[in-house]
């Protein structure tokens, strides 16, 4: 068959038409959202609401049943150790009540002896911690121990100093209680009961007064609370599962102080001092029973205008990395072919205009971000909120704006 110029033109036009039809009928690129893989600092926190409280709070109670005179103190007034806080006229005691009062005196004296012994033990522990710190600093100077050991020794010395101060305050309070219980028997010695003087067990300020008016009270009735509002700690109740990740010494950020209008943008910092050993059950706002545990936090500095019982938002840093590879959680897809304990994580990486499915190894999570241990490089683009229509190898187009 003779090939003519017309046939060549018809063939070229036909081939071009087939190519044009195939190009027009091919699937359009899927429009996706993407973000670049970042590298930088990342930290995992436990966030919760907390309350401030005075570290050493003393509840002043009526040592005996009797008539208490009107309380002239006001909330916030300064008191010194030994100051008179209240006066009571005891009710006459019968033989049974007298025996009970004698037993209370013996118990109070025993508690005073116990508090004194605890104070001596705390003093000895502080001396030991100071010796350990001195040895660690000498070894650190010659490279014998890591700097972390010195930091731990300093933290242990600080805890020992606080424990000694608390033990001394408890000893003074126990001595004051013993004197008050002995005053009951002294008042019963005469024909007319003598007034019982209630004194402040330690220096501080009046935090709360139950009732000012003169009245008859039973033994043990709270009269007022005394403490030092400058010595505050923060109590945070967290889920027991979160509490298992928290350790003494963890860094803490505190924001949104109630009433701190003078410094609304000044976050405070602190350290976790202790996690209480016993948990408790708490019903959430949705009516779900939760196991929770209290975390005690020491403040580096107390903001102005913050007192006892103030609300605060707390972020406890349980893990941090200065240079982690970070990917949004919305880009992660969990494989459904394996069990949850061993399931793989996948992401769609945009390469040359197509979606490439890649398996990644995930480390710690931090809010809306996650740490990538393996599988991605900084600067690569990953698809966020991938559609269920997206498959590996599909052409994609990144949505603008």
């Amino acid at each position: 068959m003779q090939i003519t110029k017309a046939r060549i033109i018809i063939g070229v036009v036909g081939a071009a038409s087939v190519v044009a039809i195939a190009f027009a009928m091919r699937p359009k690129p899927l429009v996706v959202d993407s973000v670049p893989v970042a590298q930088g600092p990342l930290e995992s926190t436990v966030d919760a609401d907390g309350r401030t409280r005075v570290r050493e709070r003393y509840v002043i109670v009526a040592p005996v049943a009797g008539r208490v005179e009107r309380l002239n103190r006001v909330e916030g007034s300064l008191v010194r150790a030994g100051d008179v806080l209240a006066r009571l006229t005891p009710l006459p005691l019968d033989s049974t009540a007298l025996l009970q009062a004698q037993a209370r005196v013996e118990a109070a004296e025993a508690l005073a002896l116990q508090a004194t012994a605890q104070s001596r033990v705390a003093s000895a522990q502080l001396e030991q911690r100071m010796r350990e710190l001195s040895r660690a600093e000498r070894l650190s100077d010659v490279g014998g121990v890591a700097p972390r050991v010195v930091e731990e020794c300093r933290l242990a010395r600080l805890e020992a100093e606080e424990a000694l101060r608390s033990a001394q305050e408890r000893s003074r309070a126990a001595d004051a209680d013993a004197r008050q219980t002995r005053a009951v028997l002294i008042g019963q010695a005469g024909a007319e009961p003598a007034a019982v003087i209630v004194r402040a067990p330690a220096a501080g300020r009046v935090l709360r007064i139950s009732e000012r008016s003169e009245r008859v009270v039973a033994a043990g009735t709270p009269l007022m609370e005394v403490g030092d509002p400058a010595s505050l700690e923060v109590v945070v109740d967290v889920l027991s599962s979160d509490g298992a990740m928290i350790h003494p010494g963890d860094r803490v950020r505190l924001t949104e102080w109630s009433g701190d209008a003078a410094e609304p943008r000044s976050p405070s910092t602190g350290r976790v001092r202790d996690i209480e050993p016993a948990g408790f059950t708490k019903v959430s706002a949705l009516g779900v029973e939760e196991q929770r545990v209290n975390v005690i936090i020491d403040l580096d500095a107390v903001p102005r205008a913050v007192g006892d019982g103030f609300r605060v938002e707390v972020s406890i840093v349980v893990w941090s990395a200065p240079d982690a590879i970070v990917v949004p959680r919305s880009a992660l897809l969990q494989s459904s072919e394996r069990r949850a304990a061993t399931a793989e994580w996948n992401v769609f990486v945009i390469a040359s205009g197509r979606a490439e499915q890649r398996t990644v190894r995930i480390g710690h999570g931090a809010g809306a971000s996650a740490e990538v241990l393996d599988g991605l490089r900084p600067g690569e683009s990953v698809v966020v909120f991938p559609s269920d229509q997206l498959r590996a190898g599909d052409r994609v187009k990144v949505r603008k704006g």
Side-chain angles (χ1 to χ4, degrees):
M1 181 176 62
Q2 186 177 5
I3 299 176
T4 64
K5 184 177 180 181
R7 287 178 177 176
I8 293 175
I9 294 174
I10 293 173
V12 171
V13 171
S17 300
V18 172
V19 171
I21 293 172
F23 183 81
M25 293 182 65
R26 72 172 182 170
K28 294 183 179 180
L30 189 64
V31 179
V32 297
D33 296 314
S34 71
V35 296
V37 177
Q39 185 172 16
L42 184 68
E43 61 183 22
S44 179
T45 62
V46 175
D47 301 326
D49 289 342
R51 293 290 185 274
T52 61
R53 72 179 183 189
V54 173
R55 182 172 298 176
E56 294 295 336
R57 179 190 302 271
Y58 301 94
V59 180
I60 310 302
V61 301
V64 296
R67 180 177 295 277
V68 61
E69 298 180 5
R70 179 177 176 81
L71 303 177
N72 295 321
R73 298 275 181 174
V74 296
E75 286 85 349
S77 61
L78 183 66
V79 297
R80 297 185 298 270
D83 283 357
V84 176
L85 299 180
R87 290 182 173 83
L88 292 96
T89 301
L91 300 177
L93 300 180
D94 54 23
S95 58
T96 302
L98 186 59
L99 291 175
Q100 293 174 347
Q102 291 172 345
R104 285 195 293 270
V105 169
E106 295 175 358
E109 291 176 344
L111 289 176
L113 291 175
Q114 180 185 16
T116 302
Q118 291 175 346
S119 178
R120 290 197 297 268
V121 171
S123 178
Q125 289 177 344
L126 175 58
E127 294 177 358
Q128 177 64 21
R129 297 294 180 266
M130 294 177 66
R131 288 193 294 268
E132 291 175 354
L133 176 59
S134 178
R135 287 194 294 267
E137 289 175 341
R138 290 197 300 270
L139 290 173
S140 178
D141 292 338
V142 298
V145 295
R148 179 179 178 83
V149 176
V150 178
E151 295 175 359
E152 292 175 349
C153 290
R154 288 173 179 165
L155 178 61
R157 184 193 64 178
L158 177 61
E159 292 176 349
E161 290 175 348
E162 295 296 332
L164 175 59
R165 191 174 69 86
S166 298
Q168 291 172 343
E169 294 292 341
R170 286 193 295 270
S171 178
R172 284 194 287 268
D175 289 338
D177 288 340
R179 290 194 300 270
Q180 289 180 4
T181 53
R182 284 193 294 268
V184 177
L185 295 180
I186 296 174
Q188 295 294 321
E192 292 293 334
V196 176
I197 305 300
V198 180
R199 299 182 181 275
R205 292 183 180 274
V206 176
L207 302 177
R208 188 172 293 106
I209 296 178
S210 302
E211 176 60 51
R212 298 182 185 279
S213 301
E214 178 180 344
R215 66 195 191 281
V216 175
V217 297
T221 301
L223 302 178
M224 66 179 67
E225 296 180 15
V226 175
D228 183 6
S231 176
L232 291 178
E233 62 186 9
V234 175
V235 183
V236 184
D237 64 277
V238 300
L239 291 173
S240 57
S241 56
D242 292 335
M245 300 187 296
I246 301 173
H247 301 88
D250 285 348
R251 294 185 295 112
V252 181
R253 292 192 301 272
L254 305 103
T255 56
E256 299 298 333
W257 294 94
S258 298
D260 192 13
E263 299 174 329
R265 299 183 181 178
S266 301
S268 298
T269 58
R271 293 275 180 177
V272 174
R273 184 174 85 237
D274 195 14
I275 299 94
E276 292 186 353
F280 56 92
T281 302
K282 183 178 180 180
V283 179
S284 69
L286 299 177
V288 180
E289 289 189 354
E290 300 173 338
Q291 286 301 117
R292 306 185 75 87
V293 63
N294 283 333
V295 178
I296 312 302
I297 299 170
D298 285 333
L299 300 173
D300 293 335
V302 179
R304 296 194 302 269
V306 173
D308 181 55
F310 279 50
R311 173 187 171 275
V312 61
E313 292 184 4
V314 176
S315 295
I316 304 173
V317 181
V318 296
W319 173 86
S320 63
D323 200 25
I325 298 177
V326 182
V327 67
R329 287 181 183 269
S330 56
L332 298 174
L333 296 173
Q334 192 171 24
S335 174
S336 59
E337 298 178 357
R338 301 186 180 186
R339 294 182 179 178
T342 59
E344 293 181 343
W345 291 97
N346 301 296
V347 296
F348 283 106
V349 181
I350 301 176
S352 301
R354 293 187 178 272
E356 174 190 336
Q357 189 170 0
R358 192 179 301 176
T359 300
V360 295
R361 189 159 59 94
I362 300 301
H364 292 81
S369 303
E371 177 195 21
V372 179
L373 302 177
D374 189 25
L376 287 175
R377 296 185 303 274
E380 292 184 309
S381 294
V382 295
V383 178
V384 293
F385 302 107
S387 169
D388 55 0
Q389 300 177 356
L390 184 62
R391 297 291 183 272
D394 289 351
R395 293 191 309 121
V396 295
K397 180 181 179 181
V398 177
R399 181 182 285 113
K400 296 182 180 180

